[in-house]
Amino acid sequence: MTKLVFCSCVAADGRKFAFLTDQPEVEELFDNGYKVAYKDRDGRDTPELLAHWRSAITVESKEFSLLPEDDQIPDIVQSAFNTMLSHLVKGIDVFFCDYNLGVEGDLPMCNQVMDEFKSTDFVLFSCADIVGNDPTVQPYMVSYCAPRYKQGSKVAQQHRIYCKTDPFAFCQAINAIVVQRQKDDLTGGHIRSDLDPYINESPIDKDTADQVLNRFVESLRSSNPDTVAIGYNG
């Protein structure tokens, strides 16, 4: 049994980060990655000190069992995931997400939402089919980019980073995104809220996030043959 962990955090420079996983122990690795990446960006003159979040909330779902490995994600689960992300991504600049959230197979959950929410940069971890599953040879991260918008300036690029589940990899991913966003800003690659209104919305509150996470968990439970076999009734 496991559970979902969702964090919504405001960085020292005001950027909004989110983190979503079905591996609760990974939350600390993400937190450490941020604190190192931002230790020189938090406005203090003591760079040896780790940074702190300006504010943060953490929400945990009910427990559930991962879906058994299969060739594809069930339609009901993929649809429920997309709906969940449409709530969690509001106002978020950088979204860290488990590549195969809720399922045992190494199946990509985020492809559709990355295409839909172009003003948010995505970092996907635990993606063995891209970075490999041997820690001795895994790259820390593999980076791609895509044009943010189909109209207007094509300078702005959405980051899509796949990385190993490791605090240094998370740190490097954050650094890459922050530095590139600064470069894009200098060359006219600005985030456009007129094309992506969701990016100007307030991030989700704790109570609503709890409801959203558990609706997704219900879809996993209803699609899990092991759960059905033991007569799960909610």
Side-chain angles (χ1 to χ4, degrees), residues 112-156:
Q112 294 178 38
V113 296
M114 287 194 296
D115 286 337
E116 182 174 357
F117 300 103
K118 288 291 190 68
S119 289
T120 298
D121 295 318
F122 285 86
V123 181
L124 308 182
F125 53 94
S126 302
C127 38
D129 67 336
I130 296 178
V131 300
N133 54 15
D134 181 353
T136 63
V137 296
Q138 284 177 335
Y140 278 110
M141 65 182 190
V142 179
S143 296
Y144 298 89
C145 65
R148 287 201 192 275
Y149 312 115
K150 293 181 180 179
Q151 61 189 89
S153 172
K154 296 295 192 296
V155 175

Side-chain angles (χ1 to χ4, degrees), residues 33-153:
Y34 161 77
K35 287 178 177 177
V36 173
Y38 262 80
K39 70 184 184 68
D40 297 321
R41 296 190 176 99
D42 62 358
R44 295 180 301 178
D45 56 2
T46 50
E48 70 276 8
L49 297 180
L50 294 176
H52 290 86
W53 296 108
R54 184 184 295 179
S55 63
I57 63 168
T58 299
V59 180
E60 296 183 352
S61 75
K62 299 175 183 176
E63 290 190 332
F64 65 95
S65 296
L66 297 175
L67 289 186
E69 188 163 355
D70 202 348
D71 293 335
Q72 61 183 13
I73 301 167
D75 289 342
I76 187 175
V77 172
Q78 184 65 69
S79 177
F81 175 84
N82 293 349
T83 298
M84 174 177 65
L85 260 288
S86 70
H87 293 283
L88 300 182
V89 78
K90 290 179 180 178
I92 298 299
D93 299 301
V94 184
F95 203 116
F96 281 70
C97 189
D98 224 308
Y99 181 77
N100 54 339
L101 191 79
V103 301
E104 290 182 349
D106 205 32
L107 302 173
M109 277 286 198
C110 282
N111 287 356
Q112 294 178 38
V113 296
M114 287 194 296
D115 286 337
E116 182 174 357
F117 300 103
K118 288 291 190 68
S119 289
T120 298
D121 295 318
F122 285 86
V123 181
L124 308 182
F125 53 94
S126 302
C127 38
D129 67 336
I130 296 178
V131 300
N133 54 15
D134 181 353
T136 63
V137 296
Q138 284 177 335
Y140 278 110
M141 65 182 190
V142 179
S143 296
Y144 298 89
C145 65
R148 287 201 192 275
Y149 312 115
K150 293 181 180 179
Q151 61 189 89
S153 172

Side-chain angles (χ1 to χ4, degrees), residues 3-9 16-32 34 53 57-59 85 88-89 92 94-99 101 123-126 163-166 170 174 213:
K3 56 188 175 183
L4 301 182
V5 176
F6 172 71
C7 304
S8 179
C9 314
K16 298 179 179 66
F17 286 77
F19 171 80
L20 179 63
T21 186
D22 58 22
Q23 307 171 81
E25 68 277 7
V26 177
E27 179 191 356
E28 184 177 358
L29 306 185
F30 164 70
D31 190 58
N32 288 342
Y34 161 77
W53 296 108
I57 63 168
T58 299
V59 180
L85 260 288
L88 300 182
V89 78
I92 298 299
V94 184
F95 203 116
F96 281 70
C97 189
D98 224 308
Y99 181 77
L101 191 79
V123 181
L124 308 182
F125 53 94
S126 302
C163 73
K164 64 190 294 186
T165 309
D166 173 274
F170 291 164
I174 291 170
L213 292 186

